Amino acid sequence: MTGQLLPHLPSQGAELGTAAPFFPRLGDLAADTAREGRVGVVVTLPGEDSATTYHLRPPGGGPAWSAPADGTTLRPVPAQATHATLLPGRDAVYDPRARQGSVPVEIHFEDGSTRECVLVLTSSELERLYAQTSRLLDSHENALGDSA
């Protein structure tokens, strides 16, 4: 690595300009960058009821505020992940060169959507996971023995 900034890496602050503009609909959650990322529910759209701006209200209620009609300060609020499950029929893989393992998982989101992903674990994380899953299996076997 040369230490040179690469403009195509978003983590370095360069804007690619490839994202589609965000035009929220009624009821959407939006983060307002002009309000330090404050999240609100869109309650009025520009052009609706002679409004010239978006109107947002905190999700739990409270005073509404306005955002520009072009939506330039609004960003979508992604659904939060709730849990991950193992992908059926897919095995974990260990890469000896990288000294890490990967486990195919499916991430579940609060809106019901899912996304396939890979859980990458270092050698020490693999050992920790092994110890934890071993304890879980022991607890499972003890619970089965108690119910017999």
Side-chain angles (χ1 to χ4, degrees):
M1 189 91 185
T2 63
Q4 192 175 7
L5 290 181
L6 301 175
H8 65 278
L9 296 177
S11 63
Q12 294 177 337
E15 294 292 330
L16 291 177
T18 58
F22 177 57
F23 298 108
R25 299 175 297 193
L26 279 179
D28 283 354
L29 284 179
D32 190 349
T33 60
R35 303 260 180 167
E36 299 177 357
R38 185 175 180 195
V39 174
V41 178
V42 176
V43 294
T44 307
L45 300 173
E48 183 178 276
D49 298 330
S50 68
T52 57
T53 60
Y54 284 98
H55 292 183
L56 296 95
R57 187 175 306 278
W65 73 92
S66 298
D70 61 6
T72 53
T73 67
L74 300 179
R75 301 290 177 266
V77 176
Q80 298 295 308
T82 59
H83 63 285
T85 56
L86 296 174
L87 278 171
R90 307 262 302 271
D91 284 335
V93 177
Y94 183 74
D95 181 350
R97 288 186 352 206
R99 295 185 179 164
Q100 62 188 22
S102 62
V103 181
V105 295
E106 186 170 45
I107 308 294
H108 299 259
F109 296 92
E110 63 188 0
D111 65 358
S113 64
T114 60
R115 174 155 299 175
E116 289 186 11
C117 190
V118 177
L119 174 62
V120 177
L121 301 159
T122 64
S123 296
S124 61
E125 291 169 333
L126 285 168
E127 290 173 6
R128 197 168 112 219
L129 183 60
Y130 177 76
Q132 291 175 357
T133 54
S134 293
R135 282 196 302 273
L136 287 173
L137 285 171
D138 288 344
S139 295
H140 172 67
E141 288 175 9
N142 289 337
L144 288 177
D146 291 345
S147 65

